[in-house]
């Protein structure tokens, strides 16, 4: 708790202007009035978040109150324009949780990133990066470093990029790093991840085709067989404007492969429309979307049909309670966002959740089974309302809060589960 108090004191000092920021002309290249060499850059973040979720896993009286803190400090060295080294240290802690605390919430004093890069990663050219690094592609529904998570996600990876004026392609081979609260984090080489991710930009229109392979050495199939899991995900994401005040986004993904020598057949998609009624800066930006991910119609037929979300970011993707994942789900969403006073951002959203197939389960964002009810009569999981606000004192300092509540539908009530509430408050300072 002392560390939390210290973090909040530092952030309050930042708000009062005693810590250099971009608004006062100081940058991450300047410390105590002395400018750093042009080849050296410091990065960092200090964040504290208080959460008080109720009905974890939709179980009554399974409530928590926790405090999450995260400190990151990075060092970027660029001896040549085409050569860079980067290392980032992280200290993430969770207070108020009963042990064992998941490694995704607490990971004290560890090396989060350490990579070397040659070439050009931004703009036309080619580049190669090797080492511990995050992977971020598309809208983050399949591959991302989830910033809302207390620890985030990194990979030990080799990544190669080639880009022209309108075309870009990334190729990578990686193994996900497994966070451990005690000891140095290591990647799990029994779980490999490979990918080709492209992008074609034609004015305001953008196409992103991709092919991804998730490979797990040991897996148990539906019929009890044991073997490897090899899931191939191919898909396309597209964005384009409809007018000066409206645009759309579509992403569709299909999965095939083998799960312990049993075939994989799954698919998912999201269809979004964004619209701003007027050109006024205070006018709301309205988003309507429908997302779908397939479920397994028969858990004993030897065919895996539940969509695997791979390594996504999950916050706000299927509701702000962060309970429901992109698997075996229909999700209708309507959202409005406002930017007021240049510093204040407000958001309100509603979701309606239904199972894609009643014979499969309700899944969490990580892909774990939350509720399985083989004799259910309704697919309706429930509907959710959420409100959030974020105020930026300066570009580097933000205060935010939000609350979401999921009202249980017939499916949850049949399973003897309740609704859930997710309130939070955070304060974050970044050195960028």
């Amino acid at each position: 708790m002392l560390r939390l108090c210290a973090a909040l004191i530092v952030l309050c000092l930042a708000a009062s202007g005693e810590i250099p920021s971009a608004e006062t002309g100081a940058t991450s290249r300047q410390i105590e009035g002395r400018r750093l060499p042009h080849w050296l850059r410091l990065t960092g973040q200090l964040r504290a978040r208080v959460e008080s979720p109720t009905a974890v896993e939709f179980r009554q009286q399974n409530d928590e109150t926790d405090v999450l803190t995260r400190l990151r400090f990075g060092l970027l060295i660029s001896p040549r324009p085409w050569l860079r080294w980067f290392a980032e240290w992280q200290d993430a802690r969770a207070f108020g949780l009963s042990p064992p605390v998941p490694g995704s919430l607490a990971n004290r004093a560890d090396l989060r990133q350490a990579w070397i890069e040659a070439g050009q990663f931004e703009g036309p050219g080619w580049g190669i990066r090797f080492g511990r690094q995050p992977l971020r592609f598309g809208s983050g529904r399949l591959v991302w470093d989830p910033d809302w998570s207390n620890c985030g996600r990194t990979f030990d990876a080799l990544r190669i990029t080639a880009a022209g004026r309108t075309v870009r392609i990334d190729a990578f081979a990686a193994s996900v790093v497994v966070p451990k609260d005690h000891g140095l984090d290591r990647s799990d080489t029994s779980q490999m991840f490979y990918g080709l991710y492209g992008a074609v930009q034609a004015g305001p229109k953008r196409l992103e085709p991709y092919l991804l392979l998730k490979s797990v050495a040991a897996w148990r199939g539906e019929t009890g067989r044991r073997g490897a899991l090899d899931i191939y995900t191919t898909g396309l994401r597209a964005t384009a404007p409809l007018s000066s005040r409206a645009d759309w986004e579509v992403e569709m993904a299909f999965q095939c492969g083998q799960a312990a020598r049993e075939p994989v057949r799954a698919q998912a998609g999201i269809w979004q429309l964004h619209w701003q009624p007027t050109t006024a800066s205070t006018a709301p930006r309205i988003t309507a979307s429908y997302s779908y991910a397939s479920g397994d119609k028969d858990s004993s037929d030897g065919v895996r049909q539940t969509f695997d979300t791979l390594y996504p970011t999950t916050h706000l993707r299927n509701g702000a309670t962060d309970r429901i994942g992109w698997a075996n789900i229909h999700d209708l969403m309507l959202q409005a966002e406002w930017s007021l006073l240049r510093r204040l951002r407000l958001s309100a959203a509603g979701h309606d959740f239904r199972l894609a197939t009643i014979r499969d389960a309700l899944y969490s964002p990580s892909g774990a089974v939350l509720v399985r009810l083989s004799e259910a009569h309704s697919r309706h999981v429930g509907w959710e309302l959420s409100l959030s606000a974020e105020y930026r004192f300066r570009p580097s300092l933000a205060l935010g809060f939000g609350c979401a509540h999921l009202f249980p539908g017939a499916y949850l009530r049949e399973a003897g589960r309740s609704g859930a509430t997710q309130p939070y408050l955070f304060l974050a300072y970044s050195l960028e």
Side-chain angles (χ1 to χ4, degrees):
M1 191 59 84
L2 289 175
R3 290 183 177 85
L4 172 62
C5 293
L8 293 176
I9 289 172
V10 171
L11 290 172
C12 290
L13 290 174
S16 65
E18 296 186 24
I19 290 180
S21 76
E23 285 192 355
T24 60
T27 70
S28 56
R29 295 185 183 277
Q30 191 171 350
I31 295 181
E32 296 181 356
R34 297 184 179 181
R35 189 169 181 82
L36 297 176
H38 68 88
W39 48 265
L40 181 63
R41 181 185 176 192
L42 302 179
T43 66
Q45 184 191 69
L46 182 59
R47 187 180 76 180
R49 186 168 82 235
V50 180
E51 298 179 336
S52 187
T54 68
V56 177
E57 297 182 347
F58 301 111
R59 297 182 184 275
Q60 291 183 350
Q61 300 180 345
N62 188 12
D63 304 339
E64 295 177 351
T65 298
D66 53 81
V67 179
L68 306 177
T69 64
R70 185 173 78 190
L71 174 62
R72 290 177 178 173
F73 179 77
L75 180 65
L76 177 66
I77 301 174
S78 305
R80 295 289 187 272
W82 52 269
L83 183 63
R84 301 197 299 174
W85 286 277
F86 182 72
E88 184 181 57
W89 173 84
Q90 174 176 269
D91 187 273
R93 308 201 176 209
F95 304 90
L97 294 177
S98 301
V101 178
S104 60
L105 296 178
N107 189 13
R108 290 173 281 188
D110 218 320
L111 188 65
R112 170 175 151 80
Q113 295 190 62
W115 48 258
I116 182 172
E117 176 184 291
Q120 183 71 28
F121 259 71
E122 300 297 332
W126 66 271
I128 181 169
R129 180 184 292 174
F130 176 76
R132 185 159 296 181
Q133 58 189 283
L135 295 175
R136 304 183 183 98
F137 295 106
S139 61
R141 284 189 168 269
L142 294 173
V143 187
W144 202 259
D145 174 21
D147 183 68
W148 191 254
S149 164
N150 208 36
C151 295
R153 179 187 299 113
T154 56
F155 296 81
D156 286 342
L158 173 65
R159 178 178 173 182
I160 300 174
T161 296
R165 293 177 57 190
T166 59
V167 179
R168 177 187 177 98
I169 187 166
D170 287 89
F172 62 86
S175 57
V176 66
V177 175
V178 180
K180 295 181 180 180
D181 193 17
H182 300 283
L184 186 66
D185 293 349
R186 298 181 183 276
S187 60
D188 184 0
T189 55
S190 69
Q191 300 186 39
M192 298 299 297
F193 189 43
Y194 308 91
L196 290 171
Y197 200 99
V200 180
Q201 190 80 41
K205 301 177 182 178
R206 185 176 178 88
L207 293 176
E208 298 179 359
Y210 51 83
L211 175 62
L212 309 169
L213 168 60
K214 178 181 179 180
S215 181
V216 180
W219 191 264
R220 183 173 180 176
E222 289 184 353
T223 59
R225 292 181 179 178
R226 294 186 180 275
L229 173 73
D230 292 302
I231 293 182
Y232 294 86
T233 303
T234 182
L236 178 68
R237 177 174 177 261
T239 62
L242 286 173
S243 68
S244 60
R245 300 199 303 270
D247 59 87
W248 58 266
E249 175 184 346
V250 172
E251 181 169 1
M252 292 183 286
F254 304 88
Q255 292 181 335
C256 62
Q258 298 285 325
R261 294 176 290 173
E262 298 172 355
V264 173
R265 301 288 185 270
Q267 57 275 332
I270 177 168
W271 296 263
Q272 285 190 338
L273 178 64
H274 309 281
W275 175 59
Q276 193 162 359
T278 71
T279 58
S281 60
T282 57
R285 178 175 169 83
I286 298 172
T287 300
S289 76
Y290 163 66
S291 62
Y292 160 79
S294 64
D296 203 306
K297 298 178 181 179
D298 188 341
S299 61
S300 60
D301 64 355
V303 179
R304 177 188 170 97
Q305 297 172 297
T306 304
F307 189 75
D308 190 310
T309 57
L310 305 181
Y311 301 102
T313 181
T314 55
H315 181 58
L316 300 179
R317 290 303 187 270
N318 289 95
T321 55
D322 294 336
R323 300 291 202 280
I324 296 175
W326 198 28
N328 189 37
I329 201 72
H330 294 284
D331 176 13
L332 286 170
M333 187 268 285
L334 184 64
Q335 180 186 54
E337 295 178 292
W338 296 265
S339 294
L340 305 175
L341 306 175
R342 298 180 59 188
R343 296 175 182 264
L344 178 63
R345 183 178 179 182
L346 304 176
S347 177
H351 291 258
D352 185 82
F353 300 107
R354 298 176 185 270
L355 296 182
T357 174
I358 201 169
R359 295 183 178 275
D360 202 350
L362 177 66
Y363 292 88
S364 74
S366 66
V369 172
L370 279 176
V371 182
R372 188 184 294 276
L373 187 62
S374 58
E375 301 300 324
H377 296 89
S378 173
R379 301 184 184 201
H380 190 218
V381 176
W383 56 280
E384 179 191 290
L385 292 178
S386 65
L387 297 170
S388 66
E390 180 179 310
Y391 185 82
R392 288 202 168 270
F393 298 93
R394 55 187 66 187
S396 59
L397 181 64
L399 171 68
F401 69 91
C403 186
H405 182 76
L406 191 144
F407 299 86
Y411 178 80
L412 287 177
R413 292 196 298 268
E414 283 186 59
R417 304 294 181 93
S418 68
T421 304
Q422 182 81 20
Y424 65 85
L425 172 69
F426 77 86
L427 190 61
Y429 174 80
S430 297
L431 179 67
E432 292 290 353

